[in-house]
Amino acid sequence: MTVVAVHSQAGTEPLVPDTRTLAAGETLYIIAKPDAVRRVEAAATGADTD
């Protein structure tokens, strides 16, 4: 998976460094296979992936 941008109240940040910490309420723009997208969605919502 590749994070291509993060959107927050401050605006959209392209080319996100690997060391950036995410905050609640931010939106990720990612390129990934469908199963990886589902894992990210589950992690963001606290859903069980099993």
Side-chain angles (χ1 to χ4, degrees), residues 4-41:
V4 294
V6 176
H7 180 78
S8 67
Q9 289 182 346
T12 301
E13 179 183 353
L15 305 173
V16 182
D18 292 342
T19 57
R20 187 182 185 291
T21 302
L22 300 174
E26 292 182 323
T27 301
L28 295 178
Y29 293 88
I30 63 173
I31 298 173
K33 292 183 178 182
D35 61 319
V37 172
R38 286 189 287 275
R39 287 194 307 269
V40 169
E41 290 174 331

